[in-house]
Amino acid sequence: MRRLYLVLVLFFSLTITFKFSSCSGTCKENEKNALLRLKKEANDPTNVLSSWVDKEDCCNWEGVLCNNITGSIIELSINGWDWSEFKGLKIDNFQWLPSLENLDHLDMSGVDLSNVTNWPEVINMLPSLINLRFSNCSLHSLPPVLDHNNSVLENLDLSLNKFSSPIPGWIFSFSSLVSLEFTGSNFTGSFPEGPFNLTSFTTLRASSNSFGSVLPQWLFDLNNLEYLDLSYSGFKGPIPRGVGNFCNLTYLSLASNNLNSTIPNWLYGCKNLETLNLKENSLEGTVSDLISNLTSLTSIYMSENFLSGKLPSVIGKLRKLEDLDLSENRFEGEVSEIFNTMNDCPPIGSGNCSSLMTLRLNDNKLVGNLPKSFGLLSNLQFCFMSNNRLEGLLTEEHFTNLTNLKVFSASKSNLTLRVSADWIPPFQASDIVMGGWRLGPEFPLWIQSQQSIMNLDISNAGIVGEVPSWFWNLSSQIRFLNMSHNQLIGEIPTISISDSSMGSGGPWLIYLSSNNFSGSLPHIPTMVTELDLSNNSFSEGLTNFLCDKTNESYMLEILHLGGNRFSEKIPDCWVNWPELRVLNLGENKLTGWIPRSIGALSNLKSLDLKRNKLSGPLPSSLNNCTRLWKIDLNENELHGNFPPWLGTSLSNLIVLTLRSNKFDGELAPELCQLNDLQILDLANNNLVGDIPQCVNNFTAMVNGRKLIRDGDDEMDYSYYVGVFRESASAATKGNIHQYDTILSLFTSMDLSNNNLSGNIPMSLTSLVGLRSLNFSNNHLTGSIPRDIDNMKVLESLDLSNNQLSGEIPESISSLFSLSHLNVSHNNLSGRIPVSTQLQTFSPSSFTGNKLCGLPLAESCSKNPEVENEEEDDGSGDDNEVEWFYVSMAIGFIVAFWGVSAPLLFIRPWRRAYFSYLDRKWKSWHT
């Protein structure tokens, strides 16, 4: 009996072992031939199928698994893509597949199946198939209807394909379906309408598609669903509210859609939920305190919504929580509450109860100071609290146990850090971002202890005096350094990058603007990518800096040296700076001509040389800089004809300002080819001739902004968004204004103070997105265009000191955005139109004309010329009408009494008249 038992155990053990291992000598001949046919017909550049040799048992081939008892192939797994060579296996047909009739697992992830159009029908011929994975197979078509007979399929993966069509409902009709994945498969249209009989369904991964529909209600009624990812898929509308027993979820992501409801209460009942991701939607309302019921939560992501109310402090009671992101919302209240609850666990004094590793509260409306309990979060590694309204004093106690802190970002707050001179923080951070804190007046010595520092922002920190020498040695490992807007003095030594940091890659960003650094410019390594030394006291020339290494090319993309004391000429060695995208040398004392080598900057997008003493014409080599968005050469001594190549070669220009120079000649029609132009300022030059009739080609002035294309969003150049954003100055409403964050929304045209003549082009009124227009101090004639009311967003209009004639068009009263108007000193006449705005302007806006009416003191009724015109146009007609009716009345009276009086007062006449009437009456009746 014992011997029989051992035999049975051995038999079943071998059966189980062989079932899940390759067998020897049992491969079915027809199935082997099918796979050999596949190999023969496939395109296999990386030899994925090299082990498939005819002389060997197919059960020993790579990717093939057989049933040891029957010899049938039950699993076929082929990884078809070779990432090292960026090529892989391609199969054009599935005619071989039906021969594998016992297949229960088929994985062809990465195999190119783009030519296999009938794969659903072929798969339908495999009745035992349980797992099907066709991820990243370049599939592009699915039949809208499929009458399948498979009742055992459990796992289906169609992710990373190219369907470009709606999801057919039959995909959800497999009754045994457990898991379904189609992440990044480019499905479009509405989600299938349910319900479906999916009693075993637990997992749906459907992110990164383009559905554009509301969330399907039936999906939220599936009681057994545990994993649901619908992120980045274009869903809109509310999150479904009325759901069934939908509480088995452990993972829920609805991130990066267009959902616009409040957070439904059913969500707070999913006690098994571990990850909740609702970020990047338009959710509003508050976060309920019921969220404290979700005790299994490890990750909460709700950033970039419109959530408001007090910060939900009960979240601090979630002891398993590791990642909390509530950034970029509208939360308010005391920031201290959430930290106090994180460390409030019985028994009192038991230590840190929080598992929190990542905390993001930045970009809200939080107030108050960080409590000392913040320093007890010993697991905290990443903390982001910038852009709130925090204020108060922090000491060493606030950082007591933060031994794991790697990133601390809390800039743009009114916080003060007061520590002892010998304080050594308990952490070694890679990122310390404390811009706007009160850290001074002494340079913060505790930074010397941060040997792992890579990103440091202590800008606008009230630091005064010289930078200690040890810091310049430490800075060789810092990739992002911002010490701008302090009162630092002295010279900057040669900037270097440590050997240990060279291999970590860039970018290398140095921002030291708005201090009192002096002397000559420091030499920089060639791999620095952004350098801002503007608004300091650097002097001498630029030659030693720009022409230091003539045989090497610099990687610098942003160079801002404006607002210093540089003199001499701009050196002619720009060929060494081929990566430059932003060059600002404005507001210095530079002289001479703009060098020709500046045309070598083919990547240049922003050129600012304003307020120098530059002379000569614009170099024609500048037409090689075809990517330019902005040219600002204001207030120099440049001269020559306005170059027509500005319009033909620099068609991407958004800002063109040549104000206050000595340019002459006519405005070439090629100027109108600058379709993206938003700001055109040519004021205070010697330009002559007519304003081109083609100004309506300024498409950006029609649309109100440049149309986004080619991935260009805002004019933001820095690696870190918002650190270096484009700006431009424009004269509007009688003053010079600086535009940066709203530059992309501002449009302006200023041709004032030239010698332009002719009429104002009628096509000008097509610029319906224009906000500021100034043609003053020219020699323009003709009338103000009558269709000026088309320019609905016009805020400032100055046509003063010209020779315009005629009336002010009545349509101007429809410009409700107009807040500045000046038409003084022209030859305009007539009544000033009546509107809610025109009468509120200063009388000086209309003086020097022949106008009347408010706001001028001259009343139209008392103006002799106007009165004569009114008499000619109206009074004469009225008199003629009155005398016409008087003459009619006199004629009637004379005629009536001329006949009636003799009949009444002379008897013989009366008898004769009635006898005559009597005879006529009788004759008519006979």
Side-chain angles (χ1 to χ4, degrees), residues 780-800:
L780 301 177
T781 56
S783 59
I784 300 174
R786 293 194 172 276
D787 293 335
I788 198 169
D789 59 322
N790 292 337
M791 307 172 77
K792 298 295 185 184
V793 299
L794 198 62
E795 300 171 4
S796 178
L797 175 62
D798 192 343
L799 303 176
S800 62

Side-chain angles (χ1 to χ4, degrees), residues 103 132 676 802 853:
L103 199 66
L132 175 61
D676 292 334
N802 280 286

Side-chain angles (χ1 to χ4, degrees), residues 276-288:
L276 174 61
N277 192 346
L278 303 176
K279 69 179 183 180
E280 297 176 22
N281 280 288
S282 298
L283 300 176
E284 55 188 13
T286 61
V287 177
S288 171

Side-chain angles (χ1 to χ4, degrees), residues 149-219:
N149 55 13
N150 189 311
S151 59
V152 297
L153 188 67
E154 295 180 1
N155 303 299
L156 175 60
D157 184 356
L158 299 176
S159 56
L160 301 176
N161 283 291
K162 306 173 182 179
F163 292 115
S164 300
S165 63
I167 303 175
W170 60 263
I171 284 184
F172 290 94
S173 61
F174 297 95
S175 58
S176 299
L177 199 62
V178 175
S179 172
L180 179 59
E181 301 181 35
F182 43 83
T183 297
S185 288
N186 199 27
F187 280 118
T188 61
S190 298
F191 214 79
E193 295 184 6
F196 296 96
N197 184 23
L198 297 171
T199 56
S200 303
F201 196 53
T202 64
T203 303
L204 175 61
R205 291 181 170 91
S207 64
S208 302
N209 286 282
S210 303
F211 296 117
S213 63
V214 297
L215 290 170
Q217 176 68 51
W218 64 266
L219 197 56

Side-chain angles (χ1 to χ4, degrees), residues 394-436:
L394 278 76
T395 65
E396 299 171 17
E397 293 183 65
H398 288 82
F399 301 90
T400 305
N401 291 331
L402 300 183
T403 55
N404 291 304
L405 193 63
K406 303 298 181 187
V407 174
F408 182 69
S409 176
S411 61
K412 299 182 180 178
S413 293
N414 192 23
L415 293 167
T416 300
L417 178 62
R418 187 173 298 165
V419 295
S420 61
D422 59 351
W423 179 57
I424 298 178
F427 51 81
Q428 285 291 320
S430 62
D431 294 53
I432 298 177
V433 182
M434 304 173 74

